[in-house]
Amino acid sequence: MGKLKEKYLKQGIAEYAKRLSKFCKFQVVEVPDEKAPEKLSEAEMEGVKEREGERILAKIKEREYVFALAIEGKERISEQFAQEIDSLATYGHSDITFVIGGSLGLSPEVLKRSNAQISFGRFTLPHQLMRLVLSEQIYRAYMINSGSPYHK
């Protein structure tokens, strides 16, 4: 969700994208976020998530295996995550999509569409920073699967 503005985050993600190019086709798809004032009612928050969710779902193809990043999702250690990525590729799920929601999180429809929900812990992180963290973890997974000592 949203356009990445911070130069240092763009540079970090670009570095991991370059590193990942020898393993996979790595692509970031930005979806416009919904403008929302600081103070919103519960109904207004749900409306924002619903509109953002519609934009997200419009970008996801039927064949894609979708990981939704959500605090309520399952936490994994890096080795488990690497094994999961490897297994998906082995069993015909070569198109893997990771969805990072906006500041209010993901809509129930996006969570329902996801094949799995993944959590990076109970911390709330800015979605812009989460892109960098996720990029690094995807790279780490490929390095683990290739037998590289990178992840230690």
Side-chain angles (χ1 to χ4, degrees):
M1 278 317 319
K3 189 158 180 65
L4 198 59
K5 299 174 187 99
E6 296 83 356
K7 185 177 178 181
Y8 69 98
L9 293 174
K10 285 181 180 180
Q11 289 172 330
I13 293 165
E15 176 61 29
Y16 286 114
K18 184 175 91 177
R19 293 180 187 189
L20 278 163
S21 67
K22 69 179 181 179
F23 299 110
C24 66
K25 179 183 173 192
F26 179 83
Q27 178 182 9
V28 175
V29 177
E30 291 182 338
V31 179
D33 56 351
E34 190 73 18
K35 302 300 177 221
E38 287 294 316
K39 302 262 185 189
L40 293 174
S41 70
E42 195 65 38
E44 290 170 323
M45 284 193 262
E46 290 305 312
V48 167
K49 289 195 303 189
E50 184 180 322
R51 289 186 294 278
E52 289 179 344
E54 289 169 359
R55 291 181 195 139
I56 291 169
L57 291 171
K59 298 288 185 181
I60 297 173
K61 294 173 183 63
E62 191 175 316
R63 71 179 183 278
E64 295 174 13
Y65 188 94
V66 177
F67 283 99
L69 274 67
I71 288 176
E72 316 81 39
K74 178 184 171 193
E75 291 184 39
R76 294 150 171 85
I77 61 172
S78 295
E79 291 81 4
Q80 287 173 312
F81 182 56
Q83 177 58 47
E84 203 167 351
I85 297 292
D86 192 50
S87 292
L88 286 170
T90 300
Y91 294 104
H93 294 287
S94 58
D95 293 328
I96 302 171
T97 297
F98 296 89
V99 179
I100 302 171
S103 60
L104 299 177
L106 292 167
S107 71
E109 292 78 15
V110 173
L111 294 173
K112 184 178 175 186
R113 166 57 182 91
S114 69
N115 300 92
Q117 294 178 21
I118 189 168
S119 174
F120 282 79
R122 306 284 307 160
F123 286 111
T124 300
L125 296 172
H127 55 282
Q128 299 92 334
L129 178 59
M130 198 62 231
R131 281 194 212 180
L132 177 60
V133 173
L134 177 60
S135 300
E136 191 281 334
Q137 285 299 302
I138 294 169
Y139 176 67
R140 182 177 298 271
Y142 278 99
M143 294 303 285
I144 290 169
N145 289 337
S146 72
S148 168
Y150 166 84
H151 74 288
K152 295 181 180 179

